[in-house]
Amino acid sequence: MAEIGIGILGGGYMGKAHAVAMSSVGAIFGTALRPRLEMVCASSAQSAERYREAYGFARATADWRTLVAAPEVEAIVIATPQETHREIAEAAFSLGKPVFCEKPLGASLDDSAAMVAAAEAAGVVNMVGFNYIRTPASQFARKLISDGEIGDITWFRGEHTEDFLADPDAPATWRTSGMANGTMGDLAPHMINGALALMGPIARTMGLYETVHKTRPGGDVSNDDHAQMMCRFANGAMGQMYFSRVATGRKMGYAYEISGTKGAIRFDQEDQNALWLYRMDGPEATRGFTKILTGPAHPDYEPFCQGPGHGTGYQDQIIIEAKDFLNAIATGTAIWPTFRDGHEVNRVIAATLASADSGTWQDINDF
Amino acid sequence: MAEIGIGILGGGYMGKAHAVAMSSVGAIFGTALRPRLEMVCASSAQSAERYREAYGFARATADWRTLVAAPEVEAIVIATPQETHREIAEAAFSLGKPVFCEKPLGASLDDSAAMVAAAEAAGVVNMVGFNYIRTPASQFARKLISDGEIGDITWFRGEHTEDFLADPDAPATWRTSGMANGTMGDLAPHMINGALALMGPIARTMGLYETVHKTRPGGDVSNDDHAQMMCRFANGAMGQMYFSRVATGRKMGYAYEISGTKGAIRFDQEDQNALWLYRMDGPEATRGFTKILTGPAHPDYEPFCQGPGHGTGYQDQIIIEAKDFLNAIATGTAIWPTFRDGHEVNRVIAATLASADSGTWQDINDF
Amino acid sequence: MAEIGIGILGGGYMGKAHAVAMSSVGAIFGTALRPRLEMVCASSAQSAERYREAYGFARATADWRTLVAAPEVEAIVIATPQETHREIAEAAFSLGKPVFCEKPLGASLDDSAAMVAAAEAAGVVNMVGFNYIRTPASQFARKLISDGEIGDITWFRGEHTEDFLADPDAPATWRTSGMANGTMGDLAPHMINGALALMGPIARTMGLYETVHKTRPGGDVSNDDHAQMMCRFANGAMGQMYFSRVATGRKMGYAYEISGTKGAIRFDQEDQNALWLYRMDGPEATRGFTKILTGPAHPDYEPFCQGPGHGTGYQDQIIIEAKDFLNAIATGTAIWPTFRDGHEVNRVIAATLASADSGTWQDINDF
Amino acid sequence: MAEIGIGILGGGYMGKAHAVAMSSVGAIFGTALRPRLEMVCASSAQSAERYREAYGFARATADWRTLVAAPEVEAIVIATPQETHREIAEAAFSLGKPVFCEKPLGASLDDSAAMVAAAEAAGVVNMVGFNYIRTPASQFARKLISDGEIGDITWFRGEHTEDFLADPDAPATWRTSGMANGTMGDLAPHMINGALALMGPIARTMGLYETVHKTRPGGDVSNDDHAQMMCRFANGAMGQMYFSRVATGRKMGYAYEISGTKGAIRFDQEDQNALWLYRMDGPEATRGFTKILTGPAHPDYEPFCQGPGHGTGYQDQIIIEAKDFLNAIATGTAIWPTFRDGHEVNRVIAATLASADSGTWQDINDF
Ligand SMILES: NC(=O)C1=CN([C@@H]2O[C@H](COP(=O)(O)OP(=O)(O)OC[C@H]3O[C@@H](n4cnc5c(N)ncnc54)[C@H](O)[C@@H]3O)[C@@H](O)[C@H]2O)C=CC1
Ligand SMILES: NC(=O)C1=CN([C@@H]2O[C@H](COP(=O)(O)OP(=O)(O)OC[C@H]3O[C@@H](n4cnc5c(N)ncnc54)[C@H](O)[C@@H]3O)[C@@H](O)[C@H]2O)C=CC1
Ligand SMILES: NC(=O)C1=CN([C@@H]2O[C@H](COP(=O)(O)OP(=O)(O)OC[C@H]3O[C@@H](n4cnc5c(N)ncnc54)[C@H](O)[C@@H]3O)[C@@H](O)[C@H]2O)C=CC1
Ligand SMILES: NC(=O)C1=CN([C@@H]2O[C@H](COP(=O)(O)OP(=O)(O)OC[C@H]3O[C@@H](n4cnc5c(N)ncnc54)[C@H](O)[C@@H]3O)[C@@H](O)[C@H]2O)C=CC1
């Protein structure tokens, strides 16, 4: 079993999640590569040192270049704000180091295009942090669809809704300025990636977005509070999505409903261990949505627990990502979603914003 | 207690429902006017006679003019297909008789405009059969919103989804031709009326509709299988709706989710005796959606049962309509929704179809 | 189509429900016998007259003997308190009139034994008002079990829980005195009947009951607030039941869970239009409880509505009872549950109370 | 930050769970003591070595005495079958080493009595592995109750139901012999401990248990497949519990319902991130069970994720245990549940089995 030195940029919400994931992924999945927490980077030396001690890294730095360049750091995890993703990733690729980057891939379409180019030029493993699609339930949903269990897909409804800014009196922060930090920039990528994973490419889109609370204590708000879109998938199905940070009462509303000619699937991340499946077979009298509890029969569940229905949680999604990233490095094979997949998400977002601004349908191919 | 002679046009799905409602509404609600089942009309003398006997009418006819003109028929219920609504209503109004008309109000915007004109010229009671908004739960939802319990509304999502044509092998029937019988014509009116009732007027709309299964055993399909729309309400809120008769697994998916600055409401007709309410008050640790079971504390429940949680069903909605119709006649006061309200629904539908055809947003005022 | 004169004793909660049911059952089910509301009886002439007018009876009386004896009254519905059931039923049977009696069958085991004897001596139709088992969902559950769909039954859990006396400050009333009006007397019969219907006879029982709030504003409480039992069914399965009127938050908690060697069933009356079915077949990965929405494919649903998932309510259960009662009279065939079935329930209750008092298991055969 | 050498006995289901927990607990909770995976023990040298490599221990052994005696092993986790618990724990205590022992505490009442004596004589930290009560939801339920939020408790219903032996054709294994491995021995402890935690001591009990499938492929079955009990708590409340490994369709049915004079709580481990709370306050019309999604406002949630509703899983429960165990060692304070608490559970089980055998109520004080 070989070790691999990990450097993590950022020690906040996601920096911690990835540090924890790297600590336990080996024991859980028995990965060929065993991560060694080499270095953590944060904006100040003080916070970096605090993270180092808390998460058990060998070293800390406030300069991301130091981390990227350190020879003991053999793989990079970017868990800093979107504006920083591009520069860091480009530097890492120029040194031939594999990169896992948190979603969204950069702060703009330009960013992600450049990041894809850098990744593909370097030819090293690159991956984007769309964790929600990695639950056993959503992985199984993908499999059911690709196995044809619900027939030809006719309809997709998705949402990513939370309510952390539902209170009009919640103060302005960095989250309330910059399109990359608004709902389309920050929340939509998860569900759009989910839609692409479950349904395949989106062909056309028509969007609408707005700032509900234009002023908050502490300043004006310059990005969107919620947004919606209608779309047509390349497979011909119609779709509808909604994204919100002001969806009062919704805490982790990553949810989708998919109808096909033979069945249907429903999922809500707030009950992430259940997938609802309807199949148009057997006598009418016993048809209905079946609430399937995830278990060892579903993807990536058993390593966490041998008992069905015992359940996985948020942190486990990040561990599954870490496993996939390490396996990709070990085998040298790219693992979905790559930077290119992250860029595809950004194209849909750009097209949707453009359609909202123009009031006309946009073709994704034009972005 | 006075009696009133009722004539019902149509003895099918809804004709029966109204006949039953007229039989029991007096005992349930203790209405001032007690209905007497005077005459039923159907397309053939044979079927009319069968309905007469089955439902307990005094007389039967295959000629709707006979029914409308009969002096013992003092109030008219139209439960025949949309194409017939206008002519019948106009005839009844010309005789000064109150009319209850099943949804949608006529088969086109022209129809409903004419029907409103006739109703208002006659100055008699006129009402449209939007029954779903009359459950105790949905009536209570309206009250919560108008009382300001969930604050200013920011978002509305609605759907009316069923799956009676989800099977591609289901044969072509009259339902599969004519826009008035498609999803926008037949199912959308319920939810659009619901949206107007809960939210107030819609200002702008942008739609998309399609025929999923263009050919069925027995013929081609000329109307829409499912449709969606984005909209802006006059109160400023954004909205999203979806209508489908191919929503595999959905049986009575009249469902809505409404977010406000102080709370949120969720409802799904498939569990019609529960309303979910979230309120942004009290400590964070005890917040969540409360599943309220309907009971005597909610509108129009107690006459059906003194016990909370005991539940009402589909037929009871029609009984509530009958009560409101009879009370309106007794007091001479118009009762919501009038023909004008039914026409408002048709305007939204016309605008949405136009927006889908043009690919541009449409202002409801232009319809 | 023949008419039948109906006399209803009691015009309160259930008296009204039966009056309403008799008004609409003909139109809904197309029964061969069409009820005519002949006479209603209540404790005072005043209230009887009020009920007469409200529900549309021809005549009213405050003397139950008058009603029972009236020649136009051809069938009797007893919806007065349990203490009155026996005397009325015996009088009706002595005149050879069919009797529908609300649950429980009399106020004691002696009462029900006498009532069975009278019914069987008269040889006329007799039926007990266990309405909850008559929902389409619970009828379908019975069918699934008897068809062997869930294999050999190993476990039954039932409850009938409400919270109308959960508040310690709720005043003492007639409900708070007399064992026939306590939880074992008043609520348990519904679920015990349900258990017998779903599972077959109970062989042995062991109970426990108590008065939680021994004093209430207005007086002492002399009957039980909640009670439980363990039991063994004749088919070998183990069972557990709970009955409560102090089950805070529960409104209509008639609920059961049944496990078998091939599957399982779950039901909760608070969502009466859904039945949950698990079947141990197909691949593990797609197993789970299926939420079946009732529809035309289930017993006694279609007459209420052609659309699945549209739902029936409390009042509809009483209408189904009325249909069965009328059909039994029309055909001269006894219909389940007869008085004998009501008496079986009382035997289980008596045995359970005795076991609680003695602290030892009781054999139902000894009661 | 100090390190502590951990030795884990057993590398199977729970051995792995504890190894993983010890790998990540430091990063998640920032514990003062940081575990070092020192040694793992399994029944064969081969399997021990495999576990060592998979989970990242420094050394492996097939002799538990070697592990217990190793000076680098400063704290012991027992994750071997119940029959082995006592001997190992006694040896560890004799060396003054803290012990975490998986449930149940030993294979018999004698075992657990001896283990308590050894633990208390040694005066070192001792803890039992009842993980389910450690979810944020169940910890919050305990707090709600002890804060009096649902008033005086009147009723408790609990179950621990799974279906891993529901299939009559599942083969006989070690699980199907020996009372310590039956349902009362193996599953009941979790829920009985839960009941004691939520409700306080049980005073009296009356049980019933049985083997449903007496023979299985491979041999006879000598322990119970399911069991139930009625009980009286010391606080006066009545209770009812059920335990099963043949509960078809149930995967992780650790569920409870608790009624009080001011409210009620419901929980089901199959949806472990939701707690349902009913409060008898505010207007009747808005009362109902509130589905609270766990989040940073609830115990032990935030270290896993800053976002509410994002959810924790099975493995996280074991991490919470590890945190509590390490903190107890660091501070020298005993942490609930100690061996004494594990012994209390065994007393209830012994009394319940005795009551089932005798058919009479048993006082826990007699055990
Ligand atoms: N996959 C998921 O579920 C989530 C993903 N994210 C994504 O993760 C990324 C990080 O977000 P959070 O962890 O929420 O942010 P955070 O604010 O909690 O942490 C950001 C960290 O980055 C560090 N940092 C900021 N600028 C830096 C710089 N120039 N050089 C070095 N360190 C710097 C900060 O010191 C801090 O440690 C973002 O791209 C965000 O969109 C965030 C939350 C959830
Ligand atoms: N509110 C609701 O939930 C529902 C409303 N509807 C509406 O109710 C109306 C009737 O629909 P259904 O009852 O489903 O149709 P149906 O096909 O079941 O019954 C139609 C009845 O109208 C009679 N009829 C047709 N043309 C006639 C004519 N020219 N003269 C006299 N009688 C005629 C037929 O003989 C038949 O009795 C429609 O407007 C429909 O949109 C339908 C179903 C549900
Ligand atoms: N199946 C079910 O879901 C329910 C069944 N019940 C049962 O129905 C029966 C009636 O209960 P409720 O309707 O709740 O009672 P209630 O108190 O609402 O009505 C009782 C009626 O009986 C009349 N009455 C009482 N004593 C009389 C006498 N000696 N002679 C003539 N009339 C008399 C009263 O005037 C009143 O009209 C009871 O046996 C009860 O257990 C009650 C509620 C629900
Ligand atoms: N808290 C919970 O959720 C659960 C607790 N448990 C408890 O955990 C304990 C272990 O159960 P599992 O992990 O399911 O068993 P398992 O069969 O998966 O693993 C048992 C381990 O103990 C080792 N072992 C057995 N005898 C040994 C001996 N004499 N010396 C050294 N090693 C020995 C085996 O080699 C194996 O590695 C039991 O007490 C069980 O009741 C089990 C499952 C779930």
Side-chain angles (χ1 to χ4, degrees):
Chain A
M1 220 165 301
E3 287 199 346
I4 180 168
I6 304 289
I8 299 185
L9 295 123
Y13 192 142
M14 292 314 298
K16 177 176 178 180
H18 288 289
V20 168
M22 289 297 175
S23 302
S24 55
V25 63
I28 290 174
F29 280 100
T31 51
L33 286 176
R34 295 302 167 106
R36 202 182 53 238
L37 294 182
E38 202 55 53
M39 202 184 302
V40 64
C41 173
S43 23
S44 73
Q46 223 170 353
S47 65
E49 173 54 22
R50 203 173 59 240
Y51 296 139
R52 190 201 60 73
E53 193 181 4
Y55 311 149
F57 283 88
R59 290 185 292 154
T61 177
D63 172 27
W64 65 262
R65 285 169 217 275
T66 304
L67 184 147
V68 170
E72 309 79 23
V73 170
E74 295 158 292
I76 306 280
V77 175
I78 304 178
T80 44
Q82 8 275 53
E83 291 74 14
T84 65
H85 293 177
R86 176 174 171 177
E87 210 177 11
I88 298 170
E90 287 174 336
F93 288 135
S94 75
L95 295 170
K97 298 189 178 180
V99 178
F100 176 101
C101 182
E102 259 309 324
K103 51 58 47 185
L105 191 67
S108 66
L109 195 57
D110 279 355
D111 276 4
S112 59
M115 291 168 82
V116 171
E120 297 185 351
V124 294
V125 166
N126 54 93
M127 186 175 165
V128 186
F130 293 121
N131 48 291
Y132 292 115
I133 195 71
R134 273 181 153 72
T135 52
S138 284
Q139 287 193 57
F140 187 57
R142 287 185 76 181
K143 185 174 150 43
L144 286 168
I145 292 171
S146 66
D147 288 356
E149 290 281 334
I150 62 168
D152 296 326
I153 308 302
T154 55
W155 172 249
F156 177 88
R157 188 180 80 76
E159 66 179 80
H160 187 125
T161 48
E162 308 196 23
D163 73 354
F164 55 86
L165 286 173
D167 186 348
D169 294 331
T173 68
W174 60 269
R175 291 188 178 281
T176 53
S177 68
M179 283 308 284
N181 300 316
T183 296
M184 281 304 290
D186 187 42
L187 299 184
H190 276 303
M191 181 42 68
I192 290 175
N193 169 69
L196 298 178
L198 293 157
M199 298 286 293
I202 292 175
R204 305 179 72 228
T205 179
M206 175 76 213
L208 183 62
Y209 65 93
E210 74 174 345
T211 307
V212 171
H213 303 298
K214 298 191 177 56
T215 311
R216 291 180 175 277
D220 288 349
V221 177
S222 71
N223 54 20
D224 49 318
D225 280 327
H226 67 161
Q228 62 169 312
M229 60 189 277
M230 308 197 296
C231 65
R232 174 74 60 186
F233 288 89
N235 68 10
M238 278 200 336
Q240 185 181 62
M241 286 188 253
Y242 179 57
F243 320 107
S244 179
R245 61 190 189 187
V246 295
T248 313
R250 286 297 254 165
K251 306 304 173 188
M252 183 58 262
Y254 176 93
Y256 51 82
E257 301 172 4
I258 306 173
S259 309
T261 50
K262 290 186 186 169
I265 283 173
R266 309 188 74 165
F267 176 77
D268 188 331
Q269 184 74 20
E270 289 183 356
D271 186 8
Q272 68 190 281
N273 292 298
L275 184 73
W276 296 76
L277 173 65
Y278 182 96
R279 283 191 297 191
M280 214 193 280
D281 61 14
E284 187 66 39
T286 51
R287 289 188 194 169
F289 277 92
T290 297
K291 184 181 184 178
I292 301 169
L293 293 177
T294 53
H298 303 110
D300 281 339
Y301 181 99
E302 192 164 28
F304 292 99
C305 185
Q306 292 171 28
H310 288 51
T312 56
Y314 178 79
Q315 178 64 50
D316 300 332
Q317 300 157 30
I318 315 303
I319 295 170
I320 294 171
E321 289 185 323
K323 178 260 298 178
D324 288 336
F325 184 49
L326 294 175
N327 285 353
I329 297 171
T331 61
T333 333
I335 186 84
W336 182 91
T338 60
F339 275 26
R340 184 160 286 279
D341 299 298
H343 179 57
E344 291 304 316
V345 169
N346 286 2
R347 288 176 63 210
V348 175
I349 290 170
T352 304
L353 293 176
S355 75
D357 293 341
S358 66
T360 56
W361 284 86
Q362 298 293 321
D363 196 316
I364 307 297
N365 285 334
D366 297 337
F367 290 82
Chain B
M1 216 164 303
E3 287 198 348
I4 180 167
I6 305 289
I8 300 186
L9 294 124
Y13 192 143
M14 293 313 298
K16 176 176 179 179
H18 288 288
V20 168
M22 289 297 175
S23 302
S24 56
V25 62
I28 291 174
F29 280 100
T31 51
L33 285 176
R34 295 301 168 106
R36 204 182 51 238
L37 293 182
E38 202 54 54
M39 204 184 301
V40 65
C41 173
S43 22
S44 73
Q46 222 170 353
S47 64
E49 173 54 23
R50 203 174 57 239
Y51 296 140
R52 189 201 62 72
E53 191 180 6
Y55 312 149
F57 283 88
R59 290 186 291 155
T61 177
D63 171 28
W64 64 262
R65 284 169 218 275
T66 304
L67 184 148
V68 170
E72 310 79 22
V73 171
E74 296 158 293
I76 307 280
V77 174
I78 304 177
T80 44
Q82 10 276 49
E83 290 74 15
T84 66
H85 293 176
R86 177 175 171 178
E87 210 175 11
I88 299 170
E90 287 174 338
F93 288 134
S94 75
L95 296 170
K97 297 190 179 180
V99 178
F100 176 101
C101 182
E102 260 308 325
K103 51 58 47 185
L105 191 66
S108 66
L109 196 56
D110 278 355
D111 277 3
S112 60
M115 292 168 81
V116 171
E120 297 186 351
V124 292
V125 166
N126 55 93
M127 186 174 166
V128 186
F130 294 120
N131 48 291
Y132 293 115
I133 195 69
R134 274 181 152 74
T135 52
S138 284
Q139 287 192 56
F140 188 56
R142 287 185 76 181
K143 185 174 150 45
L144 285 168
I145 291 170
S146 67
D147 287 357
E149 290 282 335
I150 62 168
D152 297 326
I153 308 303
T154 56
W155 172 249
F156 176 89
R157 187 178 81 75
E159 66 180 79
H160 187 125
T161 47
E162 307 196 22
D163 71 355
F164 55 86
L165 285 173
D167 187 347
D169 294 331
T173 67
W174 61 268
R175 291 189 178 281
T176 52
S177 68
M179 283 308 286
N181 300 317
T183 297
M184 282 303 291
D186 187 43
L187 299 185
H190 276 302
M191 181 43 68
I192 290 174
N193 170 68
L196 298 178
L198 293 157
M199 299 286 292
I202 292 174
R204 305 179 70 228
T205 179
M206 174 75 212
L208 184 62
Y209 64 94
E210 75 174 344
T211 307
V212 171
H213 303 298
K214 298 191 178 58
T215 311
R216 290 180 175 277
D220 288 349
V221 177
S222 71
N223 55 20
D224 49 317
D225 281 327
H226 65 163
Q228 62 170 313
M229 60 189 276
M230 308 197 295
C231 66
R232 175 74 62 187
F233 289 89
N235 68 10
M238 277 199 337
Q240 184 180 62
M241 285 186 254
Y242 178 56
F243 319 107
S244 179
R245 60 190 188 188
V246 295
T248 313
R250 286 296 255 164
K251 305 305 173 188
M252 184 58 262
Y254 176 92
Y256 50 81
E257 301 173 5
I258 307 172
S259 309
T261 51
K262 290 185 185 169
I265 283 173
R266 308 188 75 167
F267 175 77
D268 187 332
Q269 184 74 19
E270 289 183 356
D271 186 9
Q272 70 191 281
N273 292 298
L275 185 73
W276 296 77
L277 172 65
Y278 183 96
R279 283 191 297 190
M280 215 194 277
D281 62 12
E284 186 66 39
T286 51
R287 289 188 194 169
F289 277 92
T290 297
K291 184 181 183 179
I292 301 169
L293 293 177
T294 52
H298 303 110
D300 281 338
Y301 180 99
E302 192 164 26
F304 291 98
C305 185
Q306 293 172 27
H310 288 51
T312 56
Y314 178 80
Q315 178 64 51
D316 300 332
Q317 300 157 30
I318 315 302
I319 296 171
I320 294 171
E321 288 185 325
K323 178 260 299 179
D324 288 336
F325 183 50
L326 294 174
N327 285 353
I329 297 171
T331 62
T333 333
I335 186 84
W336 181 91
T338 60
F339 276 25
R340 185 160 285 281
D341 299 299
H343 179 58
E344 291 303 318
V345 169
N346 286 2
R347 288 176 63 210
V348 175
I349 289 171
T352 303
L353 292 175
S355 75
D357 293 340
S358 65
T360 56
W361 284 85
Q362 297 294 322
D363 197 317
I364 307 296
N365 285 334
D366 296 338
F367 290 82
Chain C
M1 219 166 300
E3 287 199 348
I4 180 168
I6 303 290
I8 300 186
L9 296 123
Y13 192 142
M14 292 314 297
K16 176 176 179 180
H18 288 289
V20 168
M22 290 296 177
S23 302
S24 55
V25 64
I28 291 175
F29 280 100
T31 51
L33 285 176
R34 296 299 168 107
R36 205 182 50 239
L37 294 182
E38 202 54 55
M39 203 185 299
V40 64
C41 174
S43 23
S44 74
Q46 221 170 353
S47 63
E49 173 54 22
R50 203 173 58 238
Y51 295 139
R52 189 200 62 72
E53 192 181 5
Y55 312 149
F57 283 88
R59 290 185 292 154
T61 176
D63 172 27
W64 65 261
R65 284 171 217 275
T66 304
L67 184 149
V68 170
E72 309 79 23
V73 171
E74 295 158 291
I76 306 280
V77 174
I78 304 178
T80 45
Q82 10 275 53
E83 290 73 16
T84 65
H85 294 176
R86 176 175 173 177
E87 210 176 11
I88 299 170
E90 287 174 338
F93 288 135
S94 74
L95 295 170
K97 297 189 178 179
V99 178
F100 176 101
C101 182
E102 260 309 324
K103 49 60 45 185
L105 192 66
S108 66
L109 197 56
D110 279 357
D111 276 5
S112 58
M115 290 167 83
V116 171
E120 297 185 350
V124 294
V125 166
N126 55 94
M127 187 175 165
V128 186
F130 293 120
N131 48 291
Y132 293 115
I133 195 71
R134 272 181 154 73
T135 52
S138 284
Q139 286 193 58
F140 187 57
R142 287 185 77 181
K143 184 174 151 46
L144 286 169
I145 292 171
S146 68
D147 287 356
E149 290 280 335
I150 63 168
D152 296 326
I153 309 302
T154 56
W155 172 250
F156 176 89
R157 187 179 81 76
E159 66 181 80
H160 187 125
T161 47
E162 307 195 23
D163 72 354
F164 55 87
L165 286 172
D167 186 347
D169 294 331
T173 67
W174 61 268
R175 290 190 178 280
T176 53
S177 68
M179 282 308 284
N181 300 316
T183 296
M184 282 304 290
D186 187 43
L187 299 185
H190 275 302
M191 181 42 68
I192 290 175
N193 169 69
L196 298 177
L198 293 158
M199 298 286 292
I202 292 173
R204 306 179 70 228
T205 179
M206 175 76 213
L208 183 62
Y209 65 93
E210 75 175 342
T211 308
V212 171
H213 303 298
K214 300 194 176 55
T215 311
R216 291 181 174 276
D220 288 349
V221 176
S222 72
N223 55 20
D224 49 317
D225 281 327
H226 65 162
Q228 62 169 311
M229 60 189 276
M230 307 196 297
C231 65
R232 174 74 63 188
F233 289 89
N235 68 10
M238 279 200 335
Q240 184 181 61
M241 285 186 254
Y242 178 57
F243 319 108
S244 178
R245 61 190 188 189
V246 295
T248 313
R250 286 296 254 162
K251 305 305 172 187
M252 184 58 262
Y254 176 93
Y256 50 82
E257 300 172 5
I258 306 173
S259 310
T261 50
K262 291 187 187 168
I265 283 173
R266 310 187 75 166
F267 175 76
D268 187 332
Q269 183 73 22
E270 289 183 356
D271 186 8
Q272 69 191 280
N273 292 299
L275 185 73
W276 296 76
L277 173 65
Y278 182 96
R279 283 190 297 191
M280 214 192 279
D281 61 14
E284 187 67 39
T286 51
R287 288 188 194 169
F289 277 92
T290 297
K291 183 181 184 179
I292 301 169
L293 293 178
T294 53
H298 304 110
D300 283 338
Y301 180 99
E302 192 164 28
F304 291 100
C305 185
Q306 292 172 28
H310 289 52
T312 56
Y314 178 79
Q315 177 65 49
D316 300 332
Q317 300 156 32
I318 315 303
I319 295 170
I320 294 171
E321 289 185 324
K323 178 260 298 178
D324 288 336
F325 184 50
L326 294 174
N327 285 352
I329 296 171
T331 62
T333 333
I335 186 85
W336 182 91
T338 60
F339 276 25
R340 183 159 288 279
D341 300 297
H343 179 58
E344 290 305 317
V345 169
N346 287 2
R347 288 176 62 210
V348 174
I349 290 170
T352 303
L353 292 175
S355 75
D357 293 341
S358 66
T360 56
W361 283 85
Q362 298 294 321
D363 197 317
I364 307 297
N365 284 334
D366 296 338
F367 290 83
Chain D
M1 219 166 301
E3 286 198 349
I4 180 167
I6 304 290
I8 300 185
L9 296 123
Y13 192 142
M14 294 314 298
K16 176 177 179 179
H18 288 289
V20 169
M22 289 297 176
S23 302
S24 57
V25 62
I28 291 174
F29 280 100
T31 52
L33 285 176
R34 295 300 168 106
R36 204 180 52 238
L37 293 183
E38 202 55 53
M39 202 184 300
V40 64
C41 173
S43 21
S44 74
Q46 220 170 354
S47 64
E49 174 54 22
R50 203 174 57 239
Y51 296 140
R52 188 201 62 71
E53 192 181 4
Y55 312 150
F57 283 88
R59 290 186 292 155
T61 177
D63 173 27
W64 64 262
R65 283 169 219 275
T66 304
L67 185 149
V68 170
E72 310 79 22
V73 170
E74 295 159 292
I76 306 281
V77 174
I78 304 177
T80 45
Q82 9 276 50
E83 291 73 15
T84 65
H85 293 177
R86 176 175 173 178
E87 210 177 11
I88 298 170
E90 286 174 338
F93 288 135
S94 74
L95 295 170
K97 297 190 177 178
V99 177
F100 177 100
C101 182
E102 259 308 324
K103 51 59 47 184
L105 192 66
S108 66
L109 196 55
D110 278 356
D111 276 3
S112 60
M115 291 167 83
V116 171
E120 297 185 350
V124 292
V125 166
N126 55 93
M127 187 173 164
V128 186
F130 293 120
N131 48 292
Y132 293 114
I133 196 70
R134 273 181 154 73
T135 52
S138 284
Q139 286 192 58
F140 187 57
R142 287 185 76 182
K143 185 173 149 47
L144 286 169
I145 292 171
S146 67
D147 287 358
E149 290 282 335
I150 62 167
D152 296 327
I153 309 303
T154 55
W155 173 250
F156 177 89
R157 187 180 80 76
E159 66 180 80
H160 187 126
T161 47
E162 307 195 23
D163 72 354
F164 54 87
L165 286 172
D167 186 347
D169 293 331
T173 67
W174 62 268
R175 290 189 180 280
T176 52
S177 68
M179 283 308 284
N181 300 316
T183 296
M184 281 304 290
D186 187 43
L187 299 185
H190 276 303
M191 181 41 68
I192 291 175
N193 169 69
L196 298 178
L198 293 157
M199 299 286 292
I202 292 172
R204 307 180 69 228
T205 178
M206 175 75 211
L208 184 62
Y209 64 94
E210 74 173 344
T211 307
V212 171
H213 303 297
K214 298 191 178 58
T215 310
R216 290 179 175 277
D220 288 350
V221 176
S222 72
N223 55 18
D224 49 316
D225 281 327
H226 66 162
Q228 63 169 311
M229 60 188 278
M230 307 197 296
C231 66
R232 175 73 62 188
F233 290 89
N235 68 9
M238 277 197 340
Q240 185 181 61
M241 285 186 255
Y242 178 56
F243 319 107
S244 178
R245 61 189 187 189
V246 294
T248 312
R250 286 297 255 163
K251 305 304 172 186
M252 184 58 263
Y254 176 94
Y256 50 80
E257 301 173 4
I258 307 173
S259 310
T261 50
K262 291 186 186 169
I265 282 172
R266 309 188 76 166
F267 176 77
D268 188 332
Q269 184 73 21
E270 289 183 356
D271 186 9
Q272 69 191 282
N273 292 299
L275 185 73
W276 296 77
L277 172 65
Y278 182 96
R279 284 191 297 191
M280 215 193 279
D281 61 13
E284 187 66 38
T286 51
R287 289 188 194 169
F289 276 92
T290 298
K291 183 180 184 179
I292 301 168
L293 292 177
T294 53
H298 304 110
D300 283 338
Y301 181 99
E302 193 165 25
F304 292 98
C305 185
Q306 292 171 28
H310 288 51
T312 56
Y314 178 79
Q315 178 64 49
D316 300 332
Q317 300 157 29
I318 315 303
I319 295 171
I320 295 171
E321 289 185 324
K323 178 261 297 179
D324 288 336
F325 183 49
L326 294 174
N327 285 354
I329 296 171
T331 62
T333 333
I335 185 85
W336 182 91
T338 60
F339 276 26
R340 183 160 286 281
D341 299 298
H343 179 58
E344 291 304 317
V345 169
N346 286 2
R347 288 174 64 210
V348 174
I349 290 169
T352 303
L353 292 175
S355 75
D357 293 340
S358 66
T360 56
W361 285 85
Q362 298 294 321
D363 197 316
I364 307 297
N365 285 334
D366 296 337
F367 290 82

